[in-house]
Amino acid sequence: MTARSLRRGTAAVLATLAACAALTATRAEAAPARGELTPATRFYADPHGKAAEQALVDFRNGDLENAANMARLAAQPQATWFTEGTPDEVRAKVGKLVRRAGAAHRTPVLVAYNVPGRDCSQYSSGGAASSAAYRQWIDAFAAGIGDRGAVVVVEPDGLALLPRDCGPDTDPAGELTATRVADLAYAVKTLKARPRTAVYLDAGNVQWRAVGDMAQRLLDAGVRQADGFSLNVSNMHPTDHNARYGTWVAKCMWFATEGPDWARGHADWCASQYYSPAAPNDGTPGNSVSSTDPATWRWTDAWYDQNTGTPPAGALSHFVIDTSRNGRGAWTPEPGKYSGDPEPWCNAPGRGLGPRPTADTGVPLADAYLWIKVPGESDGSCTRGTGGTIDPEYGIVDPPAGTWWPAQAHALARNAVPRLTFTH
């Protein structure tokens, strides 16, 4: 690298970092008076986040290309996760974040992730010690927000992975599952009681629960008291696939609660990404629904056209989509490479940042595209079902869940679709 190019690279990195830091002082349109997102909502980018720190590390190491990418990444709004702590601690931390965001006239995105028994004791295990402790924690979380503007994503995977889904011996009597659903409903109600908080209850992703199953789970957990639900958190499925799934889930909830009399209480009758009664289902290729072939989803669309038509404006639940790592879509390993679970959701190689965070999606029910999973944080020490400790895709033991992983952050930035640029 010549001295001239070095000076240019240095100037670019420093300018980007300075612009990122300036976001906290930039005046912009204030958040809506009520806890609702509008296309004009602007989200908060924390200038002290891990990507900003990595940009400085890379810069000091003379790695100007990665430093510039990390600075651009740091300028993008990303969610802040709250996963532990006493009620007093979470109240203080939440309060500090929303005050900083408010001073910048931006809306912060927060994730409440502390439900008891989360993640079936897998990579992201943990959570509050009891239902009572969790509710105290949620009370404090809401108190920290106060009357300031905020978006809260409630318990990623908490509804798609209920205790009853963890194994046949985990919750045989169903008590843990009933408590989980009640706790989620409590969190939604408590957070939504804040005057300027938008609340989205997590609903997994397009390749997980069937539409009717997820629709019923959402209804049971009080989603109608929220602003909607969240999709694709910490996953990499394409944005348009999740938007289609979210629209089906919203229509299914309407079908089972406000639709035809004969449909009341029957979310289980809804067509899904796995099956549609509207399809011939005669064994001919393309005549039945396949979750992995969106071309066949026309049969699911047809079922909703036939059975829900066009529900009244405002009758359907809205959703947000995590686009933090789906720029290149989901990862599928080579056929036969793994005999066990390849864990395609876990630190998938070759992925890239996806569509930038925005509340102006152009999709009727999609309130926002958000970077909910922090790009560059590990999903856990993935083993691809090999029984060892090494992740064969990387040849190392992956960092624990939630740990900053510079190599992954660099790869996500390099592989971004669309290309990562500095915007504010």
Side-chain angles (χ1 to χ4, degrees):
M1 178 179 289
T2 66
R4 184 177 182 183
S5 62
L6 178 60
R7 287 195 298 271
R8 284 179 179 172
T10 300
V13 172
L14 293 177
T16 304
L17 285 171
C20 176
L23 285 175
T24 57
T26 301
R27 290 193 61 83
E29 183 167 339
R34 293 175 294 129
E36 298 176 355
L37 298 182
T38 74
T41 300
R42 302 287 294 278
F43 299 110
Y44 178 63
D46 184 357
H48 307 292
K50 295 175 181 176
E53 294 175 358
Q54 186 65 47
L56 291 173
V57 171
D58 292 336
F59 176 72
R60 290 173 185 140
N61 290 336
D63 187 352
L64 299 185
E65 179 180 359
N66 278 327
N69 269 340
M70 290 299 96
R72 296 183 188 109
L73 173 57
Q76 296 296 333
Q78 299 164 47
T80 300
W81 290 58
F82 297 86
T83 64
E84 59 185 2
T86 67
D88 285 344
E89 289 170 342
V90 76
R91 182 188 299 110
K93 290 179 180 178
V94 167
K96 181 179 180 180
L97 174 65
V98 297
R99 284 193 298 272
R100 282 163 50 185
H105 299 276
R106 297 291 201 268
T107 299
V109 179
L110 299 79
V111 180
Y113 190 57
N114 195 35
V115 75
R118 69 182 184 214
D119 199 34
C120 290
S121 299
Q122 298 183 87
Y123 296 138
S124 296
S125 61
S130 66
S131 174
Y134 178 69
R135 295 186 183 207
Q136 292 173 357
W137 190 86
I138 285 292
D139 289 342
F141 194 114
I145 295 173
D147 61 359
R148 303 175 186 89
V151 174
V152 181
V153 175
V154 177
E155 299 298 338
D157 298 351
L159 199 55
L161 194 58
L162 292 169
R164 71 177 185 227
D165 303 317
C166 297
D169 301 324
T170 301
D171 189 26
E175 294 178 1
L176 295 176
T177 293
T179 299
R180 166 72 62 80
V181 171
D183 284 343
L184 294 175
Y186 181 86
V188 166
K189 181 178 180 180
T190 301
L191 292 164
K192 192 56 195 170
R194 310 316 303 181
R196 293 175 58 200
T197 301
V199 179
Y200 295 88
L201 178 60
D202 192 65
N205 63 70
V206 63
Q207 292 296 327
W208 202 345
R209 299 296 170 192
V211 170
D213 183 11
M214 183 47 66
Q216 189 60 58
R217 292 180 185 216
L218 285 166
L219 291 169
D220 292 344
V223 74
R224 284 179 288 184
Q225 295 188 61
D227 293 86
F229 52 96
S230 56
L231 295 171
N232 207 44
V233 174
S234 298
N235 221 301
M236 288 140 278
H237 299 293
T239 304
D240 59 337
H241 293 190
N242 279 284
R244 208 159 168 188
Y245 174 73
T247 301
W248 295 334
V249 170
K251 288 183 176 181
C252 181
M253 288 193 287
W254 180 87
F255 170 80
T257 57
E258 301 177 53
D261 289 342
W262 54 268
R264 301 296 171 89
H266 284 290
D268 57 314
W269 291 353
C270 292
S272 77
Q273 72 275 42
Y274 300 110
Y275 174 77
S276 171
N281 296 308
D282 60 5
T284 302
N287 276 6
S288 60
V289 177
S290 168
S291 66
T292 59
D293 183 5
T296 66
W297 294 357
R298 68 185 186 278
W299 300 116
T300 303
D301 290 331
W303 186 91
Y304 286 99
D305 289 342
Q306 295 165 11
N307 291 278
T308 66
T310 304
L316 296 179
S317 183
H318 287 216
F319 51 86
V320 296
I321 301 173
D322 185 354
T323 61
S324 62
R325 301 188 297 178
N326 72 348
R328 296 196 172 191
W331 171 68
T332 302
E334 299 172 10
K337 184 174 184 178
Y338 297 110
S339 58
D341 180 5
E343 299 176 318
W345 56 270
C346 193
N347 295 330
R351 300 308 90 193
L353 303 167
R356 304 298 98 91
T358 180
D360 188 7
T361 68
V363 177
L365 297 182
D367 286 349
Y369 301 148
L370 302 173
W371 285 6
I372 300 173
K373 169 70 175 183
V374 178
E377 288 190 357
S378 176
D379 293 318
S381 300
C382 322
T383 62
R384 318 289 169 194
T386 59
T389 59
I390 300 294
D391 183 343
E393 291 298 322
Y394 298 95
I396 62 171
V397 176
D398 297 348
T403 302
W404 179 253
W405 189 358
Q408 187 186 82
H410 291 154
L412 289 169
R414 283 195 305 271
N415 295 333
V417 179
R419 186 173 64 87
L420 188 59
T421 59
F422 176 73
T423 58
H424 64 93

